[in-house]
Amino acid sequence: MTTAVEAWERYAEKAQPRRPTNAAGATTWLNWTQYADHGPDESALGELTGRRVLEMGSGSGSNLAHLATLGAICTGVDLAPSRTAAATARWGHLPSLEFVTADVIDYLATVTTVFDVIYSIFGAVWFTDPASLLPLVRRRMAPDGVFAFSHLPTAETCITSGRAISKWQYPAERWKQLLTAAGFDAVTAETIAAPTGGQQGTLWVRARRA
Ligand SMILES: C[S@@+](CC[C@H](N)C(=O)[O-])C[C@H]1O[C@@H](n2cnc3c(N)ncnc32)[C@H](O)[C@@H]1O
């Protein structure tokens, strides 16, 4: 087991299962932010029925499960084996939904599937060097495919690599430059304001494969 896998397994030990229903009474939902019942929904991902969707760093699988209920053909990839096991146990009964244990770089370098949507919610985009990740994401996406992700906002580029968990956290304008240079267009990057009582908003980035 690598140190990164060990670190994510320790993180997973503290993970709480998602509530059975949200404030609206729904049993599945997609949440881009770190706050419950807050922020935009899946509509930013465009049409989902019959579309191939990849979540990078899928964790509990709850966000991806929602997209499967909407008719998407879904794959979640996560570095931590216990996350794959938990997601499969909770959501594996849904059709067209699979969870895979892998580093997203290895997964994207070997898979042959072409995805219509690739996204990450506080997931692997935040923890993977974009110099390696963005070309692989683009290569595995359909033309006009949607790439979207969220992580904590930052005013300045903040890279912490070489630790058990490395992090690549960029401000909105830097993400726009990186994505444009990597062959994406229609790039938007905005901060979703925190709800009342919340301390930080959420950086939410969307782009189209050019
Ligand atoms: C902060 S958690 C977020 C999980 C989930 N997206 C959510 O919103 O609940 C980050 C997840 O990304 C996974 N992860 C981190 N680096 C990864 C990588 N290089 N490849 C695949 N998964 C990764 C971790 O194992 C962990 O489950």
Side-chain angles (χ1 to χ4, degrees):
M1 206 183 270
T2 67
T3 50
V5 175
E6 286 172 352
W8 283 114
E9 284 293 357
R10 284 195 297 278
Y11 176 88
E13 285 168 16
K14 297 182 214 129
Q16 298 294 318
R18 186 182 262 191
R19 298 162 297 154
T21 56
N22 66 5
T27 54
T28 65
W29 64 94
L30 184 136
N31 200 358
W32 290 102
T33 80
Q34 64 273 48
Y35 303 104
D37 304 313
H38 172 251
D41 62 14
E42 70 283 352
S43 54
L45 298 176
E47 176 61 43
L48 288 162
T49 307
R51 297 298 175 101
R52 293 198 176 273
V53 175
L54 174 68
E55 180 171 0
M56 305 191 295
S58 44
S60 68
S62 300
N63 288 311
L64 193 61
H66 180 59
L67 305 189
T69 68
L70 300 177
I73 304 160
C74 298
T75 300
V77 60
D78 200 289
L79 197 56
S82 72
R83 295 280 76 197
T84 308
T88 304
R90 176 71 184 84
W91 300 113
H93 62 284
L94 293 175
S96 302
L97 174 62
E98 64 169 0
F99 295 99
V100 176
T101 299
D103 186 304
V104 73
I105 292 289
D106 299 334
Y107 179 80
L108 288 169
T110 52
V111 75
T112 55
T113 308
V114 175
F115 295 98
D116 302 294
V117 174
I118 297 184
Y119 76 98
S120 165
I121 298 179
F122 286 76
V125 169
W126 204 14
F127 307 109
T128 308
D129 187 346
S132 304
L133 183 64
L134 296 184
L136 288 169
V137 168
R138 188 180 185 280
R139 191 184 311 162
R140 297 276 30 104
M141 289 193 78
D144 294 336
V146 176
F147 178 41
F149 56 91
S150 58
H151 64 58
L152 288 180
T154 180
E156 295 178 8
T157 296
C158 169
I159 299 172
T160 52
S161 66
R163 300 188 186 168
I165 294 180
S166 300
K167 192 183 280 180
W168 285 262
Q169 187 162 308
Y170 295 99
E173 287 307 315
R174 185 70 184 128
W175 271 124
K176 286 184 190 173
Q177 293 165 358
L178 288 169
L179 286 159
T180 302
F184 294 87
D185 65 10
V187 183
T188 64
E190 63 193 273
T191 299
I192 302 166
T196 305
Q199 293 190 335
Q200 289 189 86
T202 307
L203 183 67
W204 187 38
V205 181
R206 287 166 290 158
R208 183 177 61 193
R209 184 199 184 282

